[in-house]
Every structure is written in structure tokens, then in C-alpha cells.
Amino acid sequence: MTLTEGRVAQLRQDFPILQTEVHGHPLVYLDSGATAQRPAPVLDAERDFLEQHNSAVHRGAHTLAGLSTLDFEDARETVARFVGADSDEISWASNATDALNTVAIALAKANAAGSASGRMRIGPGDEILVTEAEHHANLVPWQELAALTGATLRWVEVDDAGLWGIDDMREKLTDRTRVVAFAHVSNVTGMIAPVEEVVKAARSVGALVVLDACQAVPHRAVDFHALGVDAAAFSGHKMLGPNGIGVLYLAREFGRELPPARTGGSMITTVTMERSEYLDPPQRFEAGTQPVPQAVGLAAAVRYLESIGMNAVEAHERQLAERLVSGLESIDGIRVVGPAAGVDRSGLASFIVDGVHAHDVGQLLDVQGIAVRVGHHCAQPLHRRFGVAATTRASAYVHTTEAEIDRLLEAVAGVRGYFGVDA
Amino acid sequence: MSDPLAGLYQELILEHSKRRDGEGLIEAFDAERFDRNPTCGDEIRLRIRVDDAGVITGLGWEGQGCSISQASASVLAGLAPGLTRVDLEGRIEAFRELMRSRGGGVGDPEVLEDAVAFAGVSKFPMRVKCAMLSWTALEGCLAQLR
């Protein structure tokens, strides 16, 4: 089941920005992987909240305080249901990077006094395992945690296409592995990781599993309970929702063991001048004023995606990705990284144009109204592996049409000629 | 249809991006600088040699990046040798001013020579840092000689 042409046309009406023109051309927005556009129901929900219910949550006795608290907690329930979690397992963060840092910092704090035990304990000789394909947000915090605890950071190497498999992961797992952190869906290659198999392998050595779900949750049905991960992170702005809000999923048992990364107001029970006691999750991880209108907007984005159906979203993007990858592969001098045509991937593709730097590619596409991402996509080690500093990435979403993919392909076919590098 | 990118990709720029004048590190040098643009990954390593009178006698670079950044390094390699540090610092400032002109400046060919071809880049704020990369690397080298 995918989305019909008519359904996509109908959805497009919900996105005001898709009506704009760039350099005299109708905008072809193929950068949803970086930031997705927001449909009117999301914009309206945030505005309605601000106009009708806005006030501080979880404090105050006035009517608005009650209404805003209901909206805020309703948003948490909506998001929790969407990702197969319970609402006490969902904490708000400012974005996914922040959420991943929260886990790494909390683990560092748990180990700071040498008091951590069981699976929380990380020390010299222990190992933290990531992959070479990670976004910097799911790499640098683990480098920091390794440095702070004396643990060793290890990584699964990728092949020429930027891919890794469960066997590569198993090879690197040892009985000293304490944390395994990896992306569900790669933001560069579109590869879909074998999450359940990794969880199983990690469990067998007693390691925690942290999932970067930024490119997964917006584009396919995700069920954290079914996957069995201990922690996961994703961002609102990549799933048709607002900026300034991310989600940290902490499986109940893990969340209760984990100390707060940040402390202050709203996350305590009793405070004396000497010490404080903390609330249970999720509030334990929500120090300070929370992004309430953003949570309301994110819940609206979830409802919007649910109304389309995540299986339909995935099928639609899968179809577009196939057209994109096979089209790119048929153009001379273009090398697509990631899974080959015919192999499952998410709705994005990154590619290298022989002899032309990605920034020049992006500039030439922009002037034709086509927005793509160029650069290292916050994955420098992966690009080093490819032997380039930058690639061009096109990423689709619910509103993307086959005609837009074709416009991109046509424009890409003209790039090497424009820069005089075609043979 | 006229080419809307003509202002950016001047013929001279595309030509220099392929010519890459001055590419290759010089062995004997008095200052070296490595600069990187973290947002796009463009990078340059630039070395200069200076005589006792403070005149640049050699400049070599290696790097990778977009056509704008590579052409800019190539143009700079043609401009710098034979100039004194002080003279060159003034020209770097003139280039910076041109890049900040948001499409308003044209540049003085007496001062900037081929680099006036980059005037159109100033209309593309996302690309100004590409054009500036080798110039700021050279500026860093010159600062070491003070």
C-alpha cells in the first residue's frame, strides 16, 4: 500500500511552503532529511495552543495552567503511542543531539564517583561500540563518555558503499562492551540497520543499546518496545514538527537507573540546602522550562503522520527511493553511496558527481529550484571512507512526487556538462 | 535563458578551478597554515617563502573543495609572489571587503587582478566562505611573519 498520486497532491496542499518559487521555478524540496516542512495542521496546533492555552505547565492553580498541562501530557502520550512506548518512558529534549548527550552525560555522572554497578558501570578496559557511519551526534558524545570513564571507543567499519551488517557488529562485540550506539537509518546512505539482531547480540554480552532513530521515526513505523532498545532519540523538526524539541526514549528499567544529566527546577521532589531528591522519569530528565508549544506541535505532526499511515509513508518513500537510485545510477559519472538499487533503503540517496564538488552541484540545482543537502551531513568519518569531503543528498517525504524526482535526475544529468568535466 | 549562475561561475573561475596554479607544497618555507571550513569540509594547506626584504618569493598549496575555493587558491598563487607582506595584507583586506559587498562591489583590478572575477560570489552568502578560504590561510601565514 502506497500513496496514490491524488493523495500526494492532496497532502501537498497542506504545506504552504511548497507553493513558493525559487529562482522562478516551483520549489522541489528534497532536503526533508535535514529539516522537514510543516503542514498547516502542525502550524495551526502550535498557534491555537499559544492563543488559547499557553501558560507554564505542572505548576500554578489557574485554569490555563491546567489546560496547558493537559495539552503537554497529552502530547507525551501521543508521541509515546506513536513509537511503541509508555508515556513515562518519553522525556522531552531540545533535539536528538541533546537527547543522545543526555544519555552519555548521565552515564558519565553515574560512573563519576565510581559508584555505578551492574550494566551501568563503565570503566577502564570497558568498551563503547559505535559504527563508522554515525552522525556526529551519535559519535562525539560517546568519544566524550569514553574519555571521561577511561573506556575504549571501538567502531564497526563500513564497506565501500558505507554499509555494515550484523556479522560486522558481532565481530566487534566483546564481553567488555558496555554500550552499543548506532543509527536505525543512516542519514547518509539510507541503510536500515538490523536493530533487533543487534539488540540480541548486545544483550548476550550485557551491553546497553542506544538507538539514533532520527531518520527512522519520521519515515516508518517504529516500535521501541518491540525493538527492545534501552534508549532512543529523535527530533521533532525532521518529522513535520517544530524545531526546538526532541524526544528521548528511555526503557522504563534503564530510565529508573539513570541519574539526571541536568538538574534544577521541575525535576526534584525535595530540596534542602545540602541535597536533593529527584523525580522519577520522565520528569527527572526535564530540568527547567519545557518546550510546551513545540510538544503540542509535535503531537499534531504525529497525528498528521498517523492519518496518512506510517506503512503508506514508508512504501511511498521506498518507491521514490527506487526511482531516485536507479535514475542516478544510470547517469554517467554519478556514484550513489549506500544500498544498491533494488535493496531496501529509506527515501534518500547521497551521491558523488565525478569531477564536481557537491557544493557546486547544490548551487546548480538550487538555481533550478531544487533544494538538496550538500556537505558531509555531519558524518565526516564516513565521507573520509568514501574518499570525498562532501556528497549531495536528496531526501524525500510524504509530499514528494515522482515528477520531482525526475526533475532532480534531469538537473543532475546536466551538472558535469555545465562544469565541463564530461568525457 | 541567460545563465543565472554566470555571476558566480565566471569563465575565469571555472578555468582557474581546473588550472590550479600553485598547487603542490613548496619544500622550503617560512610559514604554513592549514585551514578548514567545518561546514562543508573544504580544506587547504598553504605554505609561503619570504626573502629578507619581506617579499613573498614562493607560494604553494594543496587542498580540496568546490570550484570557488579551488579557483580562489589558484588566483591567489598568481597574485602573491613578488609582493611584500604589508602590500599583500592590504590586498587580502580589499578582497574581504569585496566578498562582503553583497553583490555591490566590483573590485579594483589594479589591486586584485584576476580576483575581481569573484565579485559575483558576494551575491551568494553561502559561498563567500569558499572564496575566502585560501585568503584567510594566507593571512594566517603572514601573521606568523610579523
Side-chain angles (χ1 to χ4, degrees), chain A residues 345-373:
Chain A
R345 64 152 70 220
S346 73
L348 64 84
S350 299
F351 55 96
I352 296 158
V353 181
D354 267 354
V356 184
H357 190 278
H359 271 214
D360 295 320
V361 177
Q363 197 82 57
L364 196 58
L365 297 184
D366 175 64
V367 86
Q368 298 170 72
I370 304 169
V372 293
R373 172 83 188 263

Coordinates of all heavy atoms in Angstrom, one line a residue, chain A residues 345-373:
Chain A
R345 N 16.0 0.5 1.4 CA 16.7 1.7 2.0 C 15.6 2.7 2.3 O 14.4 2.5 1.9 CB 17.6 2.3 0.9 CG 17.0 2.8 -0.3 CD 17.7 3.9 -1.0 NE 19.0 3.5 -1.6 CZ 20.1 4.3 -1.5 NH1 20.1 5.4 -0.8 NH2 21.2 3.9 -2.0
S346 N 15.9 3.7 3.0 CA 14.9 4.8 3.3 C 14.9 5.7 2.1 O 15.6 5.6 1.1 CB 15.3 5.5 4.5 OG 16.3 6.4 4.3
G347 N 14.0 6.7 2.1 CA 13.7 7.6 1.0 C 14.8 8.7 0.7 O 14.4 9.8 0.6
L348 N 16.0 8.3 0.8 CA 17.1 9.3 0.5 C 18.2 8.6 -0.3 O 18.4 7.4 -0.2 CB 17.6 9.9 1.8 CG 18.3 9.1 2.8 CD1 19.8 8.9 2.5 CD2 18.1 9.7 4.2
A349 N 19.0 9.4 -0.9 CA 20.2 8.9 -1.6 C 21.2 10.0 -1.6 O 20.9 11.2 -1.9 CB 19.8 8.5 -3.0
S350 N 22.5 9.6 -1.3 CA 23.6 10.5 -1.4 C 24.5 10.1 -2.5 O 24.6 8.9 -2.8 CB 24.4 10.5 -0.1 OG 23.6 11.0 1.0
F351 N 25.0 11.0 -3.2 CA 25.8 10.6 -4.4 C 27.0 11.6 -4.6 O 27.0 12.7 -4.1 CB 24.9 10.6 -5.7 CG 24.1 11.8 -6.0 CD1 24.6 12.8 -6.9 CD2 22.9 12.1 -5.3 CE1 23.9 13.9 -7.2 CE2 22.2 13.2 -5.6 CZ 22.7 14.1 -6.5
I352 N 27.9 11.1 -5.4 CA 29.1 11.8 -5.8 C 29.1 12.0 -7.3 O 28.8 11.1 -8.0 CB 30.4 11.0 -5.4 CG1 30.4 10.8 -3.8 CG2 31.7 11.6 -5.9 CD1 31.3 9.6 -3.4
V353 N 29.4 13.2 -7.7 CA 29.4 13.6 -9.1 C 30.9 13.7 -9.5 O 31.6 14.5 -8.9 CB 28.7 14.9 -9.4 CG1 28.8 15.2 -10.9 CG2 27.3 14.9 -8.9
D354 N 31.4 12.8 -10.3 CA 32.8 12.8 -10.6 C 33.3 14.1 -11.2 O 32.7 14.6 -12.1 CB 33.0 11.7 -11.8 CG 33.4 10.4 -11.2 OD1 33.6 10.3 -10.0 OD2 33.5 9.4 -12.0
G355 N 34.3 14.7 -10.5 CA 34.9 15.9 -11.0 C 34.2 17.2 -10.6 O 34.6 18.3 -11.0
V356 N 33.1 17.1 -9.9 CA 32.4 18.3 -9.5 C 32.1 18.2 -8.0 O 31.6 17.2 -7.5 CB 31.0 18.5 -10.2 CG1 30.4 19.8 -9.8 CG2 31.2 18.4 -11.7
H357 N 32.5 19.2 -7.3 CA 32.3 19.2 -5.8 C 30.8 19.4 -5.5 O 30.1 20.0 -6.2 CB 33.1 20.4 -5.2 CG 33.2 20.4 -3.7 ND1 32.2 20.9 -2.9 CD2 34.1 19.9 -2.9 CE1 32.5 20.7 -1.7 NE2 33.7 20.2 -1.6
A358 N 30.4 18.8 -4.4 CA 29.0 18.8 -4.0 C 28.4 20.2 -3.9 O 27.2 20.4 -4.2 CB 28.8 18.0 -2.7
H359 N 29.2 21.1 -3.4 CA 28.7 22.5 -3.3 C 28.3 23.1 -4.7 O 27.4 23.8 -4.8 CB 29.7 23.4 -2.6 CG 29.5 23.4 -1.1 ND1 29.7 24.4 -0.3 CD2 29.1 22.4 -0.3 CE1 29.5 24.1 0.9 NE2 29.1 22.8 1.0
D360 N 29.1 22.7 -5.6 CA 28.8 23.2 -7.0 C 27.6 22.5 -7.5 O 26.8 23.2 -8.2 CB 30.0 23.0 -7.9 CG 31.2 23.9 -7.5 OD1 31.0 25.0 -7.1 OD2 32.4 23.4 -7.5
V361 N 27.4 21.3 -7.2 CA 26.2 20.5 -7.6 C 25.0 21.2 -7.0 O 24.0 21.5 -7.7 CB 26.3 19.0 -7.2 CG1 25.0 18.3 -7.5 CG2 27.5 18.3 -7.8
G362 N 25.1 21.4 -5.7 CA 24.0 22.0 -5.0 C 23.6 23.4 -5.5 O 22.4 23.7 -5.6
Q363 N 24.6 24.2 -5.9 CA 24.4 25.5 -6.4 C 23.6 25.4 -7.8 O 22.7 26.2 -8.0 CB 25.7 26.2 -6.7 CG 25.6 27.7 -6.8 CD 25.5 28.4 -5.5 OE1 26.3 28.3 -4.6 NE2 24.4 29.2 -5.3
L364 N 24.0 24.5 -8.6 CA 23.4 24.4 -9.9 C 22.0 23.8 -9.8 O 21.1 24.2 -10.6 CB 24.2 23.5 -10.8 CG 23.9 23.5 -12.3 CD1 24.1 24.9 -12.9 CD2 24.8 22.6 -13.1
L365 N 21.7 23.0 -8.8 CA 20.4 22.5 -8.6 C 19.5 23.6 -8.0 O 18.3 23.8 -8.4 CB 20.4 21.3 -7.6 CG 21.1 20.0 -8.1 CD1 21.0 18.9 -7.1 CD2 20.7 19.6 -9.5
D366 N 20.1 24.4 -7.1 CA 19.3 25.5 -6.4 C 18.7 26.5 -7.5 O 17.6 26.9 -7.4 CB 20.2 26.2 -5.4 CG 19.5 27.4 -4.8 OD1 18.5 27.2 -4.1 OD2 19.9 28.6 -5.1
V367 N 19.6 26.8 -8.4 CA 19.1 27.8 -9.4 C 18.0 27.2 -10.3 O 17.3 28.0 -10.9 CB 20.4 28.2 -10.2 CG1 20.6 27.3 -11.4 CG2 20.2 29.7 -10.7
Q368 N 17.8 25.9 -10.2 CA 16.6 25.3 -10.9 C 15.5 25.0 -9.9 O 14.6 24.3 -10.2 CB 17.1 24.0 -11.6 CG 18.2 24.3 -12.7 CD 18.8 23.0 -13.2 OE1 18.2 22.3 -14.0 NE2 20.1 22.8 -12.9
G369 N 15.6 25.6 -8.7 CA 14.5 25.5 -7.8 C 14.6 24.2 -6.9 O 13.7 23.9 -6.2
I370 N 15.7 23.4 -7.0 CA 15.8 22.2 -6.3 C 16.6 22.3 -5.1 O 17.8 22.6 -5.2 CB 16.3 21.1 -7.3 CG1 15.5 21.0 -8.6 CG2 16.4 19.7 -6.6 CD1 16.1 20.2 -9.7
A371 N 16.1 22.0 -3.9 CA 16.8 22.1 -2.7 C 17.3 20.7 -2.3 O 16.5 19.8 -2.0 CB 15.9 22.7 -1.6
V372 N 18.6 20.5 -2.2 CA 19.2 19.3 -1.7 C 20.2 19.7 -0.6 O 20.6 20.8 -0.5 CB 19.9 18.5 -2.8 CG1 18.9 18.0 -3.8 CG2 21.0 19.4 -3.5
R373 N 20.7 18.7 0.1 CA 21.7 18.9 1.1 C 23.1 18.6 0.4 O 23.2 17.6 -0.2 CB 21.5 18.0 2.3 CG 22.6 18.0 3.3 CD 22.5 19.2 4.3 NE 23.7 19.2 5.2 CZ 23.7 18.7 6.4 NH1 22.6 18.2 6.9 NH2 24.8 18.8 7.1

